[in-house]
Amino acid sequence: MPTEAQVIDALRPVQDPELHMSIVELGMVKRVDLNGSSVRLEVALTVAGCPLRDEITKRVTAALTPIGLEDVVVDMTVMTDDERHAVREKLGRQGAGQGAAGGQPLGHEEGRPNPFMAAGSRTRVLGISSGKGGVGKSSVTVNVAVALAAMGFDVAVLDADVYGFSVPKMLDITHDPVVIDDMIVPPHAYGVKVISIGFFVEDDQPVMWRGPMLHKALEQFLVDVYWGDPDYLLVDMPPGTGDVALSMAQYLPRSEIFVVTTPQPAAQRVAQRTAYMARKINLPLRGVIENMSWFTGDDGRRYELFGRGGGADLAEELGVPLIGQVPLVPSLREGGDVGRPVCASEPDGEAGQAFAAVAKAIVDMGPGRVFRSELRIS
């Protein structure tokens, strides 16, 4: 029969589904009682009412069955304040691997470093922008994020469209972030971590803030959230060229801007403004993504409902590549409504392949700027 040490070793690969660290390393396994081929464990959750407690039980049972334990019972308890603080410190040290310790403190959050400004940060920050609403910017953000995650990358999304937040619903995330001490652990779906103001207000509640409040919210999203060490952080920017864009230039100076437009000339003209804004605030403009490019009928014919050529013309005018054209398909709209991104539900479909091609193009082009910590100006 297995020993307690063997049980602990078998549990080391089991990760907390939200913190993505071993439950053994986090100190969550509090007691192991063995009786032949049966075992009863006590697992301490970081917070009461953890929405993924059933998932933890499932993972623990799956890890212990192969070592000969036929009956596994998992009792759940809650960590003490001191135990939660220890977890918070452990997560903070892990986050320092992203270069957080060297990040520049932010204004209102002075003394709390911005991990994405640190010299050691490997994260590519992609600002998904548009000049106007209604072009599918959030759909593009969500599906490109899911496509990047499917390629094996660690991906996060910051929903900076505070007035028109929609990302949680598009990913069918219904539970709130976990708060450990003063650290917010973002929920995730389809391999993508997400933070949004939508987690902190009711779905039908309007957000009526002036610029300084938006500024403060973006600060907190950056420094109070446990991001880990993502390869990509996609920022779903609000339409237009206002406060959030200016804050991004200040707080995320390594951002790369991708402009989303639709084929018609009216949308192209408005999209130019966000592109010129990016240049004025010294953020590299990397490419154009054309959404709703065509609709393929049952007869196999492409119907260009919104005209044609707008994305290509905009890209040529701006001197950047057109990195993708996304067709208008019913499943793309339906997926956004029910929280099932088309990249996950129909990866081999017409829209799924288009988003996968966009994601690959972003990966292949590499970062817009390369920061080397060993280089100094004297």
Side-chain angles (χ1 to χ4, degrees):
M1 292 294 101
T3 65
E4 181 176 339
Q6 289 173 319
V7 170
I8 295 298
D9 285 341
L11 291 175
R12 291 189 189 280
V14 177
Q15 292 192 337
D16 179 277
E18 291 180 306
L19 303 180
H20 303 288
M21 289 181 64
S22 166
I23 62 172
V24 174
E25 185 179 351
L26 289 170
M28 295 174 65
V29 181
K30 296 302 179 185
R31 191 184 72 246
V32 177
D33 294 331
L34 285 164
N35 183 13
S37 61
S38 300
V39 63
R40 192 179 194 104
L41 302 102
E42 184 177 79
V43 174
L45 304 173
T46 53
V47 292
C50 173
L52 298 176
R53 57 192 303 151
D54 291 341
E55 177 64 21
I56 294 174
T57 299
K58 178 181 175 182
R59 293 184 181 189
V60 167
T61 303
L64 296 182
T65 301
I67 66 172
L69 293 169
E70 299 173 0
D71 183 25
V72 179
V73 177
V74 181
D75 296 324
M76 297 292 184
T77 185
V78 181
M79 288 183 174
T80 65
D81 289 342
D82 288 342
E83 289 170 339
R84 247 189 315 273
H85 183 71
V87 170
R88 166 69 173 85
E89 292 297 309
K90 191 179 293 290
L91 293 175
R93 288 195 298 273
Q94 188 191 54
Q98 186 189 29
Q104 179 177 336
L106 299 183
H108 296 92
E109 300 289 327
E110 190 169 352
R112 312 189 70 176
N114 175 0
F116 301 107
M117 287 180 66
S121 175
R122 69 173 188 176
T123 304
R124 283 183 64 185
V125 181
L126 314 179
I128 312 301
S129 179
S130 67
K132 62 190 292 292
V135 299
K137 170 184 53 62
S138 295
S139 294
V140 169
T141 301
V142 165
N143 279 283
V144 171
V146 172
L148 287 168
M151 295 169 67
F153 294 106
D154 187 336
V155 183
V157 170
L158 193 166
D159 186 0
D161 193 353
V162 173
Y163 297 133
F165 56 87
S166 57
V167 172
K169 186 172 183 178
M170 287 184 170
L171 287 167
D172 194 28
I173 300 176
T174 56
H175 62 279
D176 295 333
V178 171
V179 180
I180 304 176
D181 281 358
D182 55 357
M183 174 181 282
I184 301 170
V185 180
H188 64 93
Y190 302 100
V192 178
K193 290 171 279 192
V194 177
I195 198 68
S196 169
I197 197 65
F199 295 130
F200 306 101
V201 300
E202 296 296 329
D203 193 49
D204 58 353
Q205 179 181 340
V207 178
M208 298 180 292
W209 290 348
R210 294 189 184 275
M213 290 291 289
L214 292 172
H215 207 62
K216 171 67 173 176
L218 185 57
E219 284 185 359
Q220 290 187 286
F221 283 163
L222 293 175
V223 304
D224 290 348
V225 172
Y226 172 67
W227 292 107
D229 195 7
D231 299 298
Y232 292 91
L233 173 68
L234 282 75
V235 182
D236 184 20
M237 299 173 63
T241 56
D243 293 289
V244 170
L246 296 174
S247 295
M248 278 193 65
Q250 180 179 349
Y251 292 158
L252 297 168
R254 302 180 187 183
S255 301
E256 309 167 36
I257 301 298
F258 292 85
V259 178
V260 178
T261 188
T262 48
Q264 68 265 43
Q268 173 198 345
R269 288 193 295 270
V270 177
Q272 289 174 352
R273 300 170 193 162
T274 192
Y276 294 144
M277 173 275 302
R279 288 178 172 166
K280 283 182 177 292
I281 59 179
N282 199 32
L283 294 179
L285 182 63
R286 303 305 308 282
V288 172
I289 303 169
E290 185 183 84
N291 196 24
M292 309 180 197
S293 298
W294 62 79
F295 169 75
T296 302
D298 293 338
D299 57 1
R301 178 182 171 189
R302 286 185 176 181
Y303 294 87
E304 294 168 328
L305 304 179
F306 297 101
R308 62 183 302 177
D313 291 345
L314 179 61
E316 182 179 2
E317 179 176 339
L318 299 174
V320 297
L322 174 65
I323 64 171
Q325 293 176 286
V326 180
L328 181 65
V329 299
S331 57
L332 176 56
R333 191 272 306 164
E334 293 165 0
D337 288 342
V338 301
R340 193 169 57 246
V342 71
C343 267
S345 62
E346 299 179 9
D348 297 324
E350 191 177 20
Q353 289 183 338
F355 282 120
V358 170
K360 184 177 185 304
I362 290 173
V363 173
D364 289 346
M365 69 172 49
R369 296 168 177 168
V370 178
F371 292 78
R372 301 285 296 275
S373 59
E374 64 270 24
L375 298 179
R376 295 285 187 270
I377 297 176
S378 58

